[in-house]
Amino acid sequence: DTDEARSTADSEAAILEGLKWCGITWDEGPDCGGNCGPYRQSERIQAGIYQEQLDKMVAKGDAYKCFLTPQELDAMRAEAERNEQAFIVQSPWTNAKKDEIQAMMDKGVPHVYRFRVPFDREIVVDDLVLGEVTWNSDDLGGDFVIVRQSGTPMYNFGVVVDDAQMAISHVFRAQEHLMNTPRQVLIYESLGFEAPKFGHMPLILAPDRSKLSKRHGAVSVGEYKSRGFLPAGMVNYLAQLGWNDGTKQEIYSIDELIGAFKFERMSKVAAIFDADKFKWVNGHHVRLLSEEQAVDLVGSQLKKSDMVKEASGEFVRRASVLLKERISTLVEASEELKSMMAFDLEAMLKSEVAQPYFEV
């Protein structure tokens, strides 16, 4: 929660609520406590957790203060481009003397902390999705920042400390985080922590294979809930983006997904988000609702849209049972009910079928 612009109490609550709505629960965390707290990075900063680990790295010589300015870094980057070379940070502060560092500190010059990347070191990770992945430390772009000028930890440093101290055994994340892995492995080794097992899953792309954004339907879990999607429908659809069990089955309960899931069946290529397919899957789960569930969910939607005064009674029961067979999302219930109840009396009276029943 160190990104003050995006991390608020409301955004945290929305994330936790979205996970709970999907049926994902946890044994410990910011909302229920536990043995590995505090759980917010801002609170962990105040507790000195990252500073303690940073001090260890500095003492070992694996991290150092760097006073390079943004302008100096820009000049180094421009020089590399002119020479048609990859930009590699080569900080003059990597081997600075104590008195030089102290002089800068006395002047109050802002600084960051960089991790000292070893030269020509092979880093190998046995990824649970991608298999064996190898990097050379010389390709990591040089010494990287682990603590900002503000004193807040950068992602690669903070997540290593958090995961290690919280005994995280497996880390599953998108493939766009793959290049963070060698840097994190180096930090794990520096701090003497055992690295977890990593699995980098395929990205979810838009139909045009661009990065998924709000215009393609990438919204919060809470918004999908408000659009009338069911937790079972969402979990079913998302689980099959980049995975299948080798059969033609497409509709699963959550328990069936848990029983069928194996990492060996994870795809290595990006999946495409298809909004129509999502609605189709959700529609199947709507039809799988019991009568009691249909009355509760569909009836509540009808009341919300002022179609009925109360989400109960014989009319609501019958309407809900009929509607769940005809809709893909709960919000479609009101319009579908209007369509079912629409009756053009005037047209019927003028029809040939009705004429024999009128007196001349």
Side-chain angles (χ1 to χ4, degrees):
D1 64 335
T2 53
D3 185 340
E4 295 181 2
R6 294 189 298 177
S7 296
T8 64
D10 288 342
S11 63
E12 177 186 301
I15 292 171
L16 297 179
E17 179 59 33
L19 290 171
K20 291 176 182 177
W21 181 73
C22 287
I24 300 172
T25 58
W26 46 92
D27 298 320
E28 55 181 292
D31 60 331
C32 58
N35 296 326
C36 296
Y39 296 93
R40 297 179 181 87
Q41 285 195 334
S42 58
E43 296 171 353
R44 293 172 68 78
I45 290 172
Q46 294 174 1
I49 291 172
Y50 304 112
Q51 186 62 51
E52 180 183 0
Q53 301 303 319
L54 176 63
D55 291 343
K56 291 180 182 178
M57 296 171 73
V58 171
K60 288 181 62 177
D62 290 342
Y64 61 91
K65 293 184 179 75
C66 177
F67 297 89
L68 279 173
T69 66
Q71 293 76 19
E72 289 173 321
L73 286 167
D74 288 343
M76 293 168 64
R77 188 176 291 106
E79 180 67 18
E81 290 178 359
R82 284 193 295 270
N83 296 328
E84 297 183 347
Q85 297 174 335
F87 175 53
I88 298 176
V89 176
Q90 295 177 316
S91 174
W93 296 96
T94 184
N95 293 311
K97 296 178 181 178
K98 289 184 178 181
D99 58 343
E100 293 175 317
I101 296 173
Q102 190 59 50
M104 298 294 278
M105 295 293 290
D106 291 342
K107 295 177 184 177
V109 178
H111 65 279
V112 298
Y113 282 89
R114 290 185 181 275
F115 182 86
R116 196 187 309 276
V117 176
F119 293 109
D120 194 24
R121 161 77 189 283
E122 189 177 76
I123 304 165
V124 181
V125 169
D126 187 12
D127 192 280
L128 293 172
V129 176
L130 302 175
E132 187 176 285
V133 185
T134 304
W135 298 267
N136 187 286
S137 61
D138 291 350
D139 298 326
L140 301 183
D143 297 349
F144 55 91
V145 177
I146 55 174
V147 176
R148 299 180 179 91
Q149 289 183 1
S150 63
T152 58
M154 295 289 286
Y155 168 74
N156 283 321
F157 176 48
V159 75
V160 166
V161 175
D162 294 342
D163 288 353
Q165 294 188 347
M166 295 181 189
I168 300 299
S169 60
H170 293 71
V171 173
F172 301 121
R173 56 192 180 188
Q175 287 178 10
E176 62 185 351
H177 281 289
L178 184 61
M179 278 306 298
N180 288 318
T181 309
R183 295 179 176 88
Q184 291 172 12
V185 168
L186 292 174
I187 296 174
Y188 273 108
E189 293 177 352
S190 173
L191 294 174
F193 296 137
E194 180 180 355
K197 295 183 182 298
F198 291 99
H200 289 86
M201 298 176 289
L203 294 172
I204 301 174
L205 301 178
D208 60 3
R209 302 197 69 82
S210 63
K211 189 173 182 180
L212 198 62
S213 64
K214 287 186 177 181
R215 67 187 177 90
H216 299 115
V219 294
S220 67
V221 173
E223 188 166 342
Y224 279 117
K225 178 183 178 181
S226 68
R227 290 182 182 184
F229 286 85
L230 301 177
M234 170 165 275
V235 173
N236 186 163
Y237 179 68
L238 292 180
Q240 290 184 285
L241 292 181
W243 170 86
N244 69 77
D245 66 354
T247 72
K248 293 183 179 181
Q249 183 175 346
E250 294 188 280
I251 306 303
Y252 297 82
S253 68
I254 293 178
D255 287 339
E256 286 175 327
L257 283 170
I258 293 172
F261 186 82
K262 289 182 174 57
F263 254 98
E264 292 78 6
R265 297 294 307 177
M266 284 291 297
S267 172
K268 295 179 175 62
V269 298
I272 302 298
F273 183 87
D274 184 334
D276 291 333
K277 182 64 176 290
F278 187 8
K279 285 186 67 174
W280 179 83
V281 170
N282 195 74
H284 277 271
H285 284 277
V286 172
R287 289 185 281 283
L288 288 171
L289 292 173
S290 67
E291 180 176 311
E292 182 180 358
Q293 291 171 322
V295 171
D296 178 38
L297 295 172
V298 178
S300 296
Q301 185 63 41
L302 294 176
K303 181 180 179 182
K304 183 179 179 181
S305 57
D306 294 325
M307 290 290 293
V308 296
K309 291 184 177 180
E310 297 295 334
S312 60
E314 185 63 14
F315 174 79
V316 170
R317 184 188 69 79
R318 293 190 177 211
S320 298
V321 171
L322 287 172
L323 286 168
K324 79 183 184 77
E325 302 297 328
R326 303 170 66 124
I327 60 177
S328 296
T329 63
L330 297 177
V331 295
E332 296 174 0
S334 299
E335 288 302 315
E336 187 62 32
L337 183 59
K338 289 178 184 178
S339 176
M340 290 168 59
M341 297 181 65
F343 187 72
D344 192 340
L345 179 61
E346 183 177 354
M348 188 276 291
L349 294 176
K350 292 179 180 179
S351 69
E352 293 183 6
V353 175
Q355 295 310 306
Y357 298 95
F358 289 93
E359 293 183 3
V360 179

